[in-house]
């Protein structure tokens, strides 16, 4: 038996009929067609599937699609501005070489966006603790931590400064 | 070459905008019209006979399209999974492996049936309805016991469990007698799950009318898959296309072909539907090849003054139930057992042992971390026995003249080992750390400093050495450079980038060679339908030193042709033409120039020189003259809590030398990740099987411990640059360096911390329970250094 579910994904209203057991991550990937949210484990350890639901970071493999009824979901595809300008976190991961294979990256960016929404000026330790629900196998986390620090700085500074930082960092 | 402008520059990665935007395309992001999902039914037993398989209920389940077992697959698949000679040309036993079990299963997770259904939920549901009757058999799980005469065998009817036994160099008893001190140590290299964050996955579509097969998969070496799969399915290479798109990490475990790489395309052919299978994490931990899985018996001796005399290593390698395609590559640990040092004699033997576990195969470093671990542990034990500082004994015995031919005939191309040691000690503040350690000990603080002076053989490799090792295909590399009429450039390579940043670094090389803007160059890889006829893939830190050189070589062919054409356009002799930063001119008349783009456009027109064909494109295969030999010194600083056995990794210093550098940001990133993986082996990771039942006890991330950001400090990096004389770019490799160096840096630091307790050796992972037990035993006055956990 299928259930109706109505959500807002990246600002767009979505209505579908889904199986009650359908995981949110499969809903986003297979039904809505947003494949930027990844699956890296079966047991909610890796955080690759992190999205925000009503502003709060959620591992989308731990939630059924029907539980998202009426909620607003943001995925990695919803982070950049409409004109394509990258979100400061996306820009910072690029600038600081915060990714290699890129598979865990959407989850890290989404988890970090929640972290910075709760704590705009985290210390290094707070960043490390704040991201402990996400696993990366490529970077040793060194440049992920730097990316979040750099994004925090950009988000706290004026928008003009953040833009300058990004342009200058392209080739240093 | 044009004046260097891009080589060596910190260029931000051009692959990143798509990857940070969710626009990366990994295999699970693809589908085809009418695609069905495949689920694999796997053996829950490590060793059993398959008595019967009942598919009746499953076949009737909602959405099920087909159920296939061994009897179906033999109709479309022939032969066995490939096993290469690698470093052991003759194997005593290499059990033939068909991608799906017939009458006997030999490891937990071995496929016995597959289900195809309209959705993955339905495929998963139906797979639970397949009833397989097993008769369990004794499982061979322990490496030592497997070699006993009375041991059950991994495969029914096999004579024993010996895969290979090869002595590369025997003992020299006369030399051994020259040593004043001798140490012995048994070192465990636990099984590790390589664990790329993206698991494996395969999507296959077969066109019956055309007889063509297209496979999308997560692979480090799509051309090798095409070669092997084409053989198994009887499809020639020109009708078989393997596409390895964005790949979420490999670490060596996506080189060799797997059962599912055969079963999914075969199921597509059998069913007439496109088929997709994505590995779950549990499947990955159970069935993707493991790394390490070795035990080393090591003996070494030195003179009273610290001069090294001999080292002898015996490797016992847990191969698993079948030989991995490149399993015997890991025997290269033997060939590097002498490390960075001069020894009078080095003896080495490798023994490959079959067990009822998933096969082992290369994992980041593959043999070289094990070599570094055993050698650097032996050096520290000798230093301890001689009461010498670990840095001093290293310095005294380093190889200093290059090229250096080691005892196994391998030629180290260049090195400056002492320079890297000095830099690492300077960054660490070594003398100060030793003082802190001394002070701390008085207060009951167990601070330890661990050194690891590593070397590496990489850049596989010269055809004369590698063709016999693969069974025929030389591990050279290919590249194609196409210059289009308006001057934009496409470069096709046989390597595969899955985090290494080739999309950025290879165009940096081309930009300098052709003298054209970096932004006008596009790199393409991972699709066997594009570029040269064969590519060799990415592994063994080979992409730059072999693939980068192929790109450079093809680019130079372009310049050669363009120079001829430019001479014709200038009505000058070819030898009078100068080429500088993308501009041709007649020597002595630098004011009149022709840009590379103008010449490119002309190459597609009329009036070319006599005999010159239109177009500006070139293919090159680069066959290196030698391997390349990076090196460095790492230092770990730890504090061990004797009450809990907890290790606090306080600092980590890495000084690495990989020759000339194309992009320092990417080199640093590779070191970060490599170091983290080695530390993780030293402290956290271990695949654990129940020795009685053969059940894996670490089948999810709940039980298989991967460290998070919380577990690491910021790594402190330093760099020396000693160009490689092996290739024109002077480059080596850096993909594995961190992993090769770091496990033993950490273990040496822990042993150093616990030295006051008389603890001489600690095995991996140095988890709190293992260390606590060792500390308890040592404090209780009992013998130390023994294996606390089996």
């Amino acid at each position: 038996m299928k259930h109706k579910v109505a959500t807002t994904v990246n600002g767009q209203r979505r209505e579908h009929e889904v199986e009650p057991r359908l995981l949110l991550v499969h809903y986003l990937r297979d039904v809505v067609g947003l494949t930027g949210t990844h699956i890296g484990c079966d047991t909610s350890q890796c955080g690759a599937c992190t999205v925000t639901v009503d502003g709060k970071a959620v591992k989308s493999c731990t939630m059924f699609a029907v539980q998202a009824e009426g909620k607003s979901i943001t995925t990695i595809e919803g982070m950049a501005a409409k004109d394509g300008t990258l979100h400061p976190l996306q820009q910072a991961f690029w600038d600081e070489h915060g990714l290699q294979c890129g598979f865990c990256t959407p989850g890290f960016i989404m988890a970090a966006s929640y972290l910075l929404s709760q704590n705009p000026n985290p210390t290094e330790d707070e960043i490390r603790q704040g991201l402990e629900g996400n696993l990366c196998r490529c970077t040793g986390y060194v440049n992920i931590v730097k990316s979040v620090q750099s994004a925090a700085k950009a988000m706290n500074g004026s928008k003009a400064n953040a833009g300058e930082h990004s342009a200058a960092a392209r080739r240093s | 070459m044009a004046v260097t402008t891009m080589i060596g520059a910190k260029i931000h990665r051009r692959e990143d905008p798509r990857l940070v935007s969710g626009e990366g395309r990994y295999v699970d992001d693809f589908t085809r019209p009418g695609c069905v999902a495949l689920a694999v039914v796997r053996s829950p037993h490590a060793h059993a006979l398959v008595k019967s398989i009942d598919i009746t209920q499953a076949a009737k389940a909602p959405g099920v399209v087909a159920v296939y077992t061994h009897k179906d697959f033999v109709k479309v698949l022939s032969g066995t999974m490939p096993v290469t000679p690698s470093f052991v040309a003759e194997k005593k036993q290499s059990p033939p492996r068909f991608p799906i079990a017939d009458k006997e299963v030999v490891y937990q997770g071995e496929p016995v049936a597959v289900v195809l259904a309209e959705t993955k939920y339905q495929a998963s549901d139906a797979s639970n309805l397949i009833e397989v009757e097993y008769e369990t058999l004794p499982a061979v799980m322990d490496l030592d016991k497997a070699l006993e005469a009375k041991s059950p065998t991994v495969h029914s009817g096999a004579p024993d469990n010996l895969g290979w036994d090869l002595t590369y160099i025997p003992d020299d008893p006369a030399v051994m007698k020259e040593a004043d001190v001798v140490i012995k140590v048994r070192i465990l290299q636990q099984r590790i799950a390589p664990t790329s964050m993206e698991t494996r996955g395969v999507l296959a579509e077969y066109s019956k009318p055309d007889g063509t097969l297209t496979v999308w998969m997560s692979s480090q070496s799509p051309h090798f898959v095409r070669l092997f799969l084409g053989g198994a399915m009887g499809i020639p290479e020109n009708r078989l296309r393997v596409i390895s798109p964005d790949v979420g990490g490999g670490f060596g475990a996506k080189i060799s072909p797997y059962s599912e790489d055969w079963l999914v395309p075969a199921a597509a052919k059998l069913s007439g539907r496109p088929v997709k299978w994505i590995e779950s994490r549990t499947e990955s931990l159970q069935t993707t090849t493991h790394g390490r899985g070795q035990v080393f018996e090591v003996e070494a001796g030195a003179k009273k003054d610290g001069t090294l005399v001999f080292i002898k290593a015996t490797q016992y390698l847990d191969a698993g139930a079948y030989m991995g395609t490149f399993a015997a590559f890991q025997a290269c640990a033997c060939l590097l057992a002498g490390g960075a040092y001069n020894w009078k004699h080095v003896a080495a033997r490798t023994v490959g042992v079959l067990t009822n576990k998933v096969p082992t195969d290369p994992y980041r470093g593959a043999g070289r971390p094990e070599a570094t671990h055993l050698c650097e542990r032996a050096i520290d034990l000798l230093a301890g026995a001689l009461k010498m500082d670990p840095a001093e004994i290293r310095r005294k015995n380093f190889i200093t003249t290059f090229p250096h031919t080691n005892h196994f005939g391998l030629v180290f191309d260049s090195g400056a080992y002492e320079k890297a040691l000095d830099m690492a000690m300077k960054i660490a503040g070594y003398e100060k750390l030793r003082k802190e350690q001394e002070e701390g000990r008085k207060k009951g603080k167990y601070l330890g400093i661990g050194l690891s002076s590593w070397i590496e053989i990489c850049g596989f490799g010269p055809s004369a050495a590698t063709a016999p090792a693969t069974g025929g295909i030389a591990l050279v590399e290919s590249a194609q450079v196409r210059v289009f009429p308006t001057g934009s450039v496409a470069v096709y390579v046989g390597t595969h980038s899955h985090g290494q940043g080739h999309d950025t670094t290879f165009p940096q090389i081309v930009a300098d060679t052709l003298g054209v803007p970096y932004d006008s160059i596009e790199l393409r890889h991972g699709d066997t339908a594009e570029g040269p006829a064969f590519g060799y893939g990415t592994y063994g830190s080979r992409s730059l030193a072999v693939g980068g050189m192929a790109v450079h070589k093809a680019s130079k062919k372009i310049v050669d042709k363009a120079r001829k054409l430019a001479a014709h356009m200038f009505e000058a002799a070819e030898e009078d033409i100068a080429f500088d930063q993308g501009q041709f001119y007649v020597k002595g008349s630098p004011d009149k120039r022709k840009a590379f783009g103008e010449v490119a456009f002309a190459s597609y027109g009329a009036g070319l020189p006599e005999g010159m064909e239109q177009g500006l494109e070139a293919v090159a295969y680069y066959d290196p003259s030698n391997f390349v030999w990076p090196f460095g010194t790492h230092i770990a600083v730890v504090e061990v809590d004797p009450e809990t056995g907890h290790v606090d990794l306080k600092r980590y210093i890495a000084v690495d030398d990989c020759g000339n550098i194309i992009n320092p940001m990417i080199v640093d990133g590779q070191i970060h990740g490599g170091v983290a993986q080695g530390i993780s082996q030293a402290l956290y990771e271990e695949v654990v099987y129940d020795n009685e039942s053969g059940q894996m006890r670490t089948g999810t991330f709940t039980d298989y411990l991967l460290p998070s950001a919380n577990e690491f400090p910021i790594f402190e990096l330093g760099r020396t640059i000693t160009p490689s004389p092996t290739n024109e770019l002077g480059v080596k490799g850096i993909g594995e360096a961190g992993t090769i160096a770091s496990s033993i840096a950490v273990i040496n630091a822990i042993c150093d911390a616990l030295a006051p307790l008389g603890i001489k050796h600690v095995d991996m992972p140095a988890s709190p329970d293992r260390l606590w037990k060792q500390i308890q035993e040592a404090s209780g006055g009992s013998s130390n250094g023994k294996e606390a956990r089996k």
Side-chain angles (χ1 to χ4, degrees):
Chain A
M1 200 182 72
K2 294 208 167 181
H3 284 237
K4 273 192 184 162
V5 59
T7 61
T8 303
V9 182
N10 300 332
Q12 242 185 309
R13 189 168 163 80
R14 302 279 189 169
E15 285 185 37
H16 296 279
E17 290 204 343
V18 302
E19 276 192 82
R21 64 172 173 169
L22 185 72
L23 296 175
L24 180 59
V25 65
H26 290 141
Y27 170 77
L28 292 170
R29 289 181 54 82
D30 302 337
V31 180
V32 181
L34 295 172
T35 57
T37 303
H38 297 148
I39 303 169
C41 72
D42 324 323
T43 47
S44 300
Q45 251 92 25
C46 81
C49 65
T50 306
V51 298
T52 61
V53 177
D54 287 345
K56 207 170 167 184
V58 166
K59 290 178 177 177
S60 60
C61 71
T62 59
M63 191 169 158
F64 293 114
V66 291
Q67 290 175 294
E69 171 64 33
K71 296 191 190 297
S72 175
I73 300 158
T74 304
T75 70
I76 188 69
E77 289 92 341
M79 291 298 277
K82 285 219 170 86
D83 68 356
T85 306
L86 295 177
H87 184 278
L89 269 163
Q90 293 172 309
Q91 187 67 48
F93 271 72
W94 187 12
D95 293 345
E96 300 293 342
H97 190 30
L99 64 149
Q100 290 180 28
C101 82
F103 195 78
C104 72
T105 311
F108 267 98
I109 289 175
M110 298 314 294
S113 78
Y114 176 65
L115 171 69
L116 295 183
S117 75
Q118 300 301 300
N119 180 358
N121 282 303
T123 63
E124 184 192 327
D125 278 351
E126 285 168 346
I127 293 170
R128 288 180 183 276
Q129 281 161 25
L131 297 177
E132 71 179 352
N134 292 66
L135 296 174
C136 169
R137 192 62 159 166
C138 292
T139 64
Y141 304 101
V142 177
N143 289 344
I144 290 179
V145 172
K146 284 188 193 162
S147 300
V148 178
Q149 287 171 326
S150 154
K153 209 179 276 176
M155 288 163 79
N156 292 330
S158 74
K159 276 186 183 168
N161 286 343
E164 264 173 35
H165 163 81
S166 309
R170 288 281 49 75
R171 191 177 161 185
S172 47
Chain B
M1 204 199 295
V3 173
T4 292
T5 53
M6 294 305 283
I7 290 181
K10 177 184 173 185
I11 307 294
H12 287 80
R13 300 199 322 170
R14 53 165 57 155
E15 44 271 77
D16 287 358
R18 76 167 185 274
L19 298 176
V20 299
S21 304
E23 300 288 332
R25 289 292 173 260
Y26 303 87
V27 64
D28 195 17
D29 303 336
F30 292 84
T31 187
R32 300 297 296 163
C35 188
V36 294
L38 181 146
V40 185
V41 179
R42 299 176 184 281
S43 167
H45 303 293
H47 194 191
L49 295 177
V50 180
K51 304 301 281 184
S52 66
I53 303 174
D54 182 354
I55 65 165
T56 326
Q57 292 305 313
K60 287 191 287 195
V64 169
V65 172
V67 179
Y68 300 128
T69 60
H70 181 272
K71 69 174 169 35
D72 303 297
F73 283 109
V74 291
K75 293 175 200 157
V76 288
L77 293 172
S78 62
T80 53
M81 309 287 292
V83 177
T84 64
S86 295
F87 288 111
V88 182
E90 284 183 25
K91 299 185 177 67
K92 309 237 176 203
Q93 270 192 85
S94 179
R97 180 183 193 181
F98 193 73
I100 190 162
D102 183 15
K103 300 274 187 267
E104 186 175 3
V105 287
V106 287
Y107 68 92
Q108 187 192 34
E110 186 165 14
V112 291
V114 306
V115 179
L116 272 55
E118 298 294 344
T119 72
K120 58 190 162 209
Y121 282 53
Q122 289 170 332
S124 174
D125 287 347
S127 69
N128 292 317
L129 300 173
I130 292 183
E131 287 180 23
V132 187
E133 189 190 342
Y134 295 99
E135 179 186 323
T136 58
L137 296 170
V140 179
M141 302 306 291
D142 184 279
L143 198 55
D144 295 331
K145 286 183 187 157
L147 287 172
E148 290 171 2
K150 62 177 192 316
S151 171
T153 54
V154 170
H155 294 260
S156 299
D160 54 34
N161 299 313
L162 187 62
W164 67 71
D165 187 346
L166 174 65
T167 299
Y168 292 107
I169 299 179
D171 290 349
D172 186 336
V175 173
M176 289 168 88
K177 276 182 203 149
E178 292 177 26
D180 297 317
V181 294
V182 171
I183 62 93
K184 284 187 185 182
V185 62
R186 188 172 194 270
I187 295 172
L188 174 68
Q189 285 278 348
Q190 79 275 32
R191 271 187 179 241
I192 295 290
T195 321
S196 51
M197 292 316 299
E198 182 205 24
T199 58
R200 294 184 293 120
V202 187
L203 165 65
E205 184 173 42
Y206 182 76
S207 164
K208 199 172 172 187
D210 297 339
T212 56
L213 174 66
T214 308
V215 180
W216 293 259
M217 63 182 291
S218 185
S219 173
Q220 297 175 231
S221 53
H223 289 84
F224 271 101
V225 173
R226 183 184 62 176
L227 177 74
F228 294 136
L229 178 62
M233 291 188 67
I235 301 174
E237 282 114 315
N238 55 10
R239 289 187 185 168
L240 174 46
R241 180 180 182 189
V242 178
I243 300 166
S244 184
D246 283 327
V247 167
F251 311 119
K254 291 177 181 172
I255 307 169
S256 297
Y258 286 84
S259 291
E260 296 82 0
D261 304 347
W262 271 222
L263 299 178
V264 176
K269 189 176 178 184
L270 284 167
S271 67
R273 299 274 297 266
V275 178
K276 180 155 94 174
W277 166 78
I278 301 296
E279 186 185 51
S280 73
R281 182 55 65 186
T282 292
E283 286 182 302
S284 179
L285 289 163
Q286 283 185 350
T287 70
T288 289
T289 54
H290 293 159
R292 318 295 186 249
Q294 297 156 47
V295 171
F296 289 88
E297 282 171 1
V298 182
E299 195 177 342
K303 301 250 194 209
K304 271 182 203 144
D305 68 353
T307 305
L308 300 177
V309 177
F310 79 91
I311 186 163
K312 174 189 170 186
T314 305
Q315 173 189 45
Y316 294 93
L317 188 146
D318 175 356
Y322 300 101
M323 293 294 165
T325 304
F326 294 100
F329 180 89
Q330 303 171 96
C332 81
C334 294
L335 310 180
L336 296 183
Y341 310 101
N342 287 303
W343 303 85
K344 195 163 179 187
H345 189 70
V346 179
R349 173 183 168 214
T350 176
V351 182
V353 185
L354 294 164
T355 60
N356 287 112
K357 300 180 198 172
V358 73
T360 53
D361 216 37
Y363 163 56
R364 201 171 193 171
R368 291 150 289 165
E370 297 93 313
T372 306
H373 203 98
L374 76 90
C375 180
E376 292 297 283
R377 190 79 277 277
I379 294 286
D380 267 23
L381 285 168
L382 286 170
L386 292 162
K387 305 217 174 335
M388 274 177 88
D389 186 279
E392 193 191 335
I393 191 168
R394 283 172 171 80
R395 194 184 301 282
K396 186 179 172 69
N397 291 284
F398 274 146
I399 294 160
T400 51
T401 52
F402 296 89
H404 167 87
T405 305
N406 86 349
H407 291 264
F408 301 88
L410 296 168
V411 182
F412 300 11
D413 63 349
S414 65
Y417 302 157
E418 194 172 1
K419 213 166 133 188
L421 174 70
D422 285 341
M423 186 183 280
M425 290 171 71
K426 196 175 164 199
I427 295 172
Y430 189 78
E431 300 304 325
K432 197 167 159 247
L433 280 173
R434 285 286 173 211
K435 279 190 192 114
E436 276 175 39
Q437 179 182 41
E438 208 182 310
E439 290 303 311
R441 278 178 181 169
K442 290 175 196 159
K443 297 172 198 153
K445 268 179 84 170
Y446 291 86
L447 194 72
I449 304 148
L451 273 68
S452 167
S453 291
W454 65 277
I455 61 157
E456 174 187 4
I457 179 175
C458 69
F460 300 91
S463 60
T466 53
T470 69
I473 298 277
L475 301 181
V476 301
E477 197 49 85
S478 63
Q480 180 177 25
V481 176
R482 290 187 191 166
V483 183
F484 298 103
T486 61
S488 68
V489 180
V491 181
Y492 301 80
V493 285
T495 51
H496 188 280
S497 185
H498 35 278
Q500 296 88 344
H502 300 168
D503 296 35
T504 304
T505 50
F506 285 6
Q508 286 183 256
I509 297 171
V510 177
D512 276 4
T513 314
L514 298 184
V516 301
Y518 165 77
D519 289 335
S520 70
I521 305 159
E522 194 70 20
L523 186 85
R524 298 186 64 89
H525 62 80
D527 183 345
T528 63
E530 295 185 339
F534 202 82
Y536 301 78
T538 286
Y539 40 81
S541 306
R542 71 186 300 275
S543 294
L544 178 58
V546 191
M549 275 301 298
V551 165
H552 180 56
K553 194 176 168 187
S555 303
K556 286 206 309 183
K557 285 187 180 180
I558 298 280
V559 173
D560 286 348
K561 181 170 180 183
R563 186 195 305 274
K564 282 194 181 72
L565 180 52
H568 180 73
M569 291 162 81
F570 280 118
E571 298 180 347
E574 193 188 331
E575 55 272 20
D576 292 335
I577 299 296
F579 179 55
D580 181 28
Q581 303 200 46
Q583 305 274 320
F584 292 96
Y585 58 90
V586 181
K587 285 174 194 163
S589 310
D591 299 343
K592 265 181 81 180
R593 289 165 177 259
K594 289 208 180 295
F596 182 83
E598 287 177 74
V599 179
F601 191 79
S603 79
Y604 288 91
L608 303 184
E610 182 79 26
M612 182 181 278
E613 293 173 10
Q614 270 76 8
L616 195 53
E617 51 189 321
V619 171
Y621 281 71
Y622 173 72
D623 183 359
S625 59
N626 187 8
F627 305 100
V628 288
W629 296 82
F631 61 90
T633 289
H634 289 203
I635 298 178
V637 183
V638 304
E639 188 177 339
V640 182
D641 180 347
E643 299 299 318
T644 62
H646 175 77
V647 175
D648 180 14
L649 180 62
K650 298 180 86 70
R651 287 178 67 195
Y652 195 94
I653 295 98
V655 174
D656 299 288
D657 190 322
C658 59
N660 288 338
I661 282 171
I662 307 297
N663 186 326
M665 178 191 80
I666 287 178
V667 168
D668 288 352
Q670 289 292 312
I671 294 166
H672 291 155
V675 164
Q677 284 185 7
I679 293 171
S680 190
Q681 181 182 7
L683 295 177
Y684 306 113
E685 291 177 55
E686 181 174 32
V687 171
V688 181
Y689 285 93
D690 183 277
N691 268 359
E692 293 305 313
S693 67
Q695 296 288 310
M696 184 184 285
R697 283 162 35 187
T698 49
T700 71
F701 281 165
T702 317
D703 303 301
Y704 189 83
L705 179 55
L706 281 189
S708 75
N710 239 346
E711 272 74 47
F712 295 111
I714 289 278
F715 309 137
E716 301 164 61
L717 306 191
R719 172 143 60 231
T720 64
I721 293 179
T722 309
S724 168
T726 308
N727 58 63
E728 205 178 312
L729 293 170
V731 296
K732 296 186 174 179
I734 199 64
E736 297 159 293
T739 313
I740 289 167
S742 59
S743 69
I744 189 57
V746 173
I747 293 297
N748 276 346
I750 295 170
C751 292
D752 185 50
L754 299 178
L757 293 173
I759 289 174
K760 289 202 167 25
H761 181 66
V762 166
D763 266 324
M764 301 185 288
S767 52
D769 68 319
R770 170 174 276 168
L771 281 190
W772 184 83
K773 280 177 200 156
Q774 259 186 282
I775 292 164
Q776 291 298 307
E777 274 180 36
S779 312
S782 61
S783 65
N784 51 57
K786 283 204 177 144
E787 177 57 40
R789 182 173 59 181
K790 268 254 169 178

